[in-house]
Amino acid sequence: MGLFSRKPKTPKPVNASAGAGAGNDSASLNSEGSNVKTSSLNSRIQIHNNNRASAGSVPPTPLTPMTPMTPMTPHPMPRINLPKPPDPSLDAAGYLRSLGSVRERCKIVTDKALRNALHHFDVDMARFPDVVTFVCGIIKRDFDPPFSSIPPHGRYQHFCVGGRDRIANLLATFPDTVDTTEKCRRLIDLFLVSVLLDAGAGTSWSFKSAENGRVYRRSEGLAIASLEMFKAGVFSGNPSNKFQVDKDGLRNLTVEQLAKGMQSRPGNEVAGIEGRAQLLIRLSNALADKTDFFGTDGRPGNMIDYLLAHPTTQASSTPIVILPVLWNVLMSGLAPIWPPSRTAIDGVSLGDAWPCSSMPQHTPSPSSPGLSPFPNSQPGPTAAPWESILPFHKLTQWLTYSLMQPMQNLLKIQFAGTELLTGLPEYRNGGLFIDLGVLTLKPNDLERGLQNYNEHCIRTGTKGVEVAPMFEPSDDVIVEWRGVTVGFLDKLLVEVNKALRKELNGGELTLAQLLEAGSWKGGREIAEVSRPNTKEPPILIDSDGTVF
C-alpha cells in the first residue's frame, strides 16, 4: 500500500433501484467515473451510481481516490496572524494579485446576482435548492457519513483514475537513497506542470496509456499524459534524474514534443496545444529568473526549501506555512508565464483578472481622454480604474490546492489561512448553476454566443454535435459567470452543510471537500445528462489552453 492508498471496501447500493457494479478503469473511456444515464428533467436530481467510500477504503469510482488526511479534524495549530492584502488605493496591482481580493471582489457580482441584476444572466434563486439536493445526493452516493474521508480538491485525485494510486506507485519506484524531501520535490515538479497543462482538452481528444492500454479523456487524460511524460524525462534537463522538472528541460521543449507526448494529432487534437507549449517554455524562464524560490537548477520542487526556511515557518516548532507565503511564491514566481495580452495595471500583469461590466466603472474626467471598457455600465460614484477589474487566479488557486497535498502528506507541513482559497471559477462548477436553472443566459447573449459557435465551427472545420453558446475567456459573459460562480460556491457550501447537518454529526465540510465531492463532479455529471454526446458545459470557452 502506498502513502496515498486506502484499503478496499466492498461497495454497497444506495437503494434498491441503484445500478449494480463497481466503477473501474473502463469507465474513464466515456464518463470518467460518472454513471448518470437518464436525461429527463426530473431525473436530474436523481443519483444512479451505487459506488461509495468511507474511511479506510479505496472507493470504486475513478474520481474519488482517498488520502490519509482527514480535513475536518486537522491538527490543532497556534493562532497565526495572516498578512493583509495590499491597500488598493496604494498598490492596486498588488491587491488584485492577492488571494484575498478574489472573494472580496466577486462578492460585488454575487450581490447583484442575488438581486437578479446581472448584465448577462437571469437569476432564479428558487432553483438553488435543486442544486443543494443534487450535490448532497452525489456526496451521499459516494461517501459514508460523517464524510471525513472526502479528500480536499487537488490534482492528485486525477492521477488515480480507475482506483489505481499511480502516485503511490511512482513513489515506490524511487530508491531508498531518495529522501522524503526529494520525493516531495519530485511530486511538486510533477503536480505543477500537470496543473498548468490542465486546461480543457476538447471533445475529440483522448489519451491511451502506455501502462495499461486504457483510454482516458479530459482532466484525467491530461493527468495521465503528464505523468507518463514526467516518467519519461520529457521535462528534465538533468541526465542523472529524469524524475524532475527544470528550467533546462522546459527550455528545450517544442510544440512537436508536447504534441507527441499528449498524443495530439489530426483527429485527436488537444485544444490549445501551442498555448500549452508556450506556457511551459515561459515557465522555464520564470524558473531561471526566480532562483530564491526555485534554486539555481530551476526546479518547481525547490520551493519546499524556500517555504521551510521562511521566517514565518521557522517561528513555529512544527512546520506551519502561512498560505500567503506559498501564494507569493506562485504569483510572483510564475508571473512571467502568463500571456502578455492579460490585463495589466501600470505595466504589472494581473494574470487571471479581467474587466467586468458588473463591477464599479471608472468615469474619466472630461480632461482625461481615457475610456471605460464598458461605457454603458453604471459608474460608481468614486470608482477608481482598478475597481472594474475582477480577479480569479483560477490556475494559481488550483495549483495551491494541489501542491499542498504532497507537502501535507510527505512532509507533514500544515498550512494556515486555507480559508482564503475560493471555489474555482471554471466551467464545471459554473455549469452546475446553469444546467440546474439558477442562471440562464439572456437572449441577446445567447444569440451572440451561438453565432460565435457557428463561426468557430466554420473556422476550425468542425461540425457541431450539440450546439452551445461560445465565448472567449475575456468576454464579459464569461467574466460575469465566473464571478458569480465564486460567490454561489460559498453559498452552496453553507446550504449543503445545513442539509447534511445530521449526517455530519457536528462536523462541517470544507470548501475544498465540496469542490472535490460535490460541485465539480456534479457539474460534470449534469453536463453528461444535458449534453450526452459531447458532455460539454452549457457555455463553451474558445480557449487558448492557458485559462480553462
Side-chain angles (χ1 to χ4, degrees):
M1 300 295 290
L3 177 70
F4 294 84
S5 300
R6 302 174 68 237
K7 297 178 181 178
K9 172 188 173 183
T10 302
K12 60 184 180 181
V14 176
N15 54 51
S17 63
N24 53 48
D25 269 359
S26 63
S28 63
L29 178 61
N30 296 315
S31 64
E32 300 158 44
S34 171
N35 227 5
V36 177
K37 301 299 181 185
T38 182
S39 59
S40 68
L41 180 62
N42 290 338
S43 66
R44 289 186 182 186
I45 310 301
Q46 297 176 6
I47 309 299
H48 295 273
N49 191 323
N50 70 335
N51 298 330
R52 299 172 65 88
S54 66
S57 68
V58 173
T61 52
L63 292 182
T64 53
M66 299 298 107
T67 76
M69 292 182 290
T70 53
M72 292 194 295
T73 55
H75 297 292
M77 286 194 297
R79 183 175 179 82
I80 296 176
N81 293 321
L82 301 176
K84 295 181 179 180
D87 183 340
S89 65
L90 302 175
D91 182 8
Y95 171 74
L96 291 171
R97 286 164 52 85
S98 73
L99 178 56
S101 71
V102 178
R103 183 172 276 111
E104 287 180 359
R105 304 309 294 168
C106 287
K107 185 178 185 300
I108 295 173
V109 180
T110 305
D111 288 345
K112 286 191 172 184
L114 295 174
R115 303 193 306 270
N116 194 17
L118 295 179
H119 290 176
H120 303 290
F121 294 90
D122 293 316
V123 183
D124 183 1
M125 293 307 295
R127 302 296 295 274
F128 205 89
D130 291 348
V131 182
V132 176
T133 300
F134 184 71
V135 168
C136 288
I138 289 175
I139 291 171
K140 290 192 287 187
R141 177 195 72 192
D142 293 341
F143 296 91
D144 282 332
F147 311 122
S148 57
S149 60
I150 298 175
H153 200 42
R155 188 60 164 160
Y156 160 69
Q157 280 79 250
H158 292 160
F159 291 117
C160 299
V161 59
R164 176 180 299 183
D165 194 334
R166 294 171 181 82
I167 298 304
N169 293 340
L170 175 66
L171 291 171
T173 65
F174 299 151
D176 293 339
T177 54
V178 178
D179 64 23
T180 303
T181 303
E182 172 58 22
K183 289 178 181 178
C184 194
R185 289 191 195 99
R186 295 182 181 189
L187 292 191
I188 295 296
D189 286 349
L190 167 62
F191 283 27
L192 187 139
V193 165
S194 187
V195 166
L196 292 182
L197 289 174
D198 187 32
T203 59
S204 63
W205 178 81
S206 63
F207 182 83
K208 184 176 182 179
S209 172
E211 295 183 350
N212 61 8
R214 301 282 188 181
V215 177
Y216 304 98
R217 304 182 190 276
R218 303 187 184 276
S219 287
E220 291 78 17
L222 292 169
I224 302 305
S226 63
L227 174 60
E228 294 193 6
M229 285 188 285
F230 176 80
K231 292 167 70 173
V234 171
F235 309 118
S236 174
N238 181 1
S240 63
N241 181 22
K242 66 179 182 179
F243 297 109
Q244 70 178 49
V245 175
D246 57 57
K247 60 182 181 181
D248 295 330
L250 295 176
R251 184 177 292 123
N252 297 324
L253 189 68
T254 65
V255 176
E256 292 73 23
Q257 284 176 312
L258 186 63
K260 180 181 178 181
M262 302 183 78
Q263 300 175 5
S264 182
R265 56 186 178 272
N268 193 52
E269 294 94 345
V270 173
I273 187 69
E274 293 84 5
R276 296 171 204 263
Q278 291 303 316
L279 192 70
L280 294 185
I281 292 170
R282 289 193 296 269
L283 175 60
S284 71
N285 297 326
L287 295 174
D289 292 343
K290 302 290 185 178
T291 56
D292 50 340
F293 297 152
F294 306 121
T296 55
D297 53 347
R299 285 182 62 186
N302 287 335
M303 74 173 69
I304 293 172
D305 303 272
Y306 173 84
L307 294 173
L308 290 176
H310 195 273
T312 58
T313 310
Q314 291 290 314
S316 175
S317 58
T318 58
I320 300 175
V321 172
I322 63 172
L323 199 68
V325 173
L326 173 58
W327 184 258
N328 180 60
V329 170
L330 298 177
M331 282 298 293
S332 301
L334 303 183
I337 76 175
W338 306 116
S341 59
R342 293 288 172 80
T343 309
I345 290 182
D346 298 328
V348 179
S349 176
L350 302 180
D352 185 13
W354 314 82
C356 179
S357 67
S358 288
M359 299 297 286
Q361 299 298 309
H362 174 63
T363 304
S365 63
S367 61
S368 173
L371 292 175
S372 166
F374 305 103
N376 296 323
S377 299
Q378 294 296 318
T382 58
W386 66 268
E387 293 185 70
S388 67
I389 298 171
L390 193 53
F392 302 116
H393 308 306
K394 176 256 179 179
L395 267 179
T396 307
Q397 292 207 66
W398 183 218
L399 269 174
T400 304
Y401 278 117
S402 298
L403 298 186
M404 287 192 298
Q405 287 181 301
M407 287 190 271
Q408 288 170 318
N409 280 274
L410 288 172
L411 300 180
K412 309 306 178 187
I413 293 174
Q414 298 182 71
F415 290 88
T418 55
E419 68 277 2
L420 296 174
L421 291 164
T422 73
L424 298 181
E426 48 77 56
Y427 57 76
R428 292 305 184 199
N429 287 320
L432 178 70
F433 299 108
I434 294 178
D435 277 333
L436 289 176
V438 178
L439 298 174
T440 301
L441 195 61
K442 292 189 175 183
N444 289 343
D445 291 303
L446 177 60
E447 182 179 354
R448 181 168 64 89
L450 293 175
Q451 180 62 35
N452 291 341
Y453 180 78
N454 182 59
E455 293 173 358
H456 170 83
C457 291
I458 294 173
R459 183 175 70 251
T460 59
T462 57
K463 183 178 180 181
V465 178
E466 289 169 323
V467 177
M470 173 179 277
F471 303 92
E472 293 183 348
S474 59
D475 194 285
D476 200 49
V477 168
I478 301 301
V479 180
E480 186 179 70
W481 180 31
R482 299 178 73 196
V484 74
T485 295
V486 170
F488 276 5
L489 287 170
D490 280 343
K491 179 175 175 60
L492 182 63
L493 176 64
V494 173
E495 298 303 320
V496 167
N497 274 321
K498 288 181 181 177
L500 297 177
R501 184 185 297 111
K502 180 179 179 181
E503 291 90 342
L504 286 165
N505 193 27
E508 283 190 341
L509 293 177
T510 65
L511 182 59
Q513 290 176 300
L514 177 74
L515 294 173
E516 179 60 32
S519 63
W520 189 87
K521 187 188 297 185
R524 170 183 274 184
E525 294 192 9
I526 198 63
E528 294 179 5
V529 168
S530 303
R531 291 160 297 281
N533 294 308
T534 63
K535 304 176 178 63
E536 286 281 33
I539 294 178
L540 302 176
I541 313 294
D542 191 1
S543 176
D544 62 358
T546 65
V547 179
F548 293 94

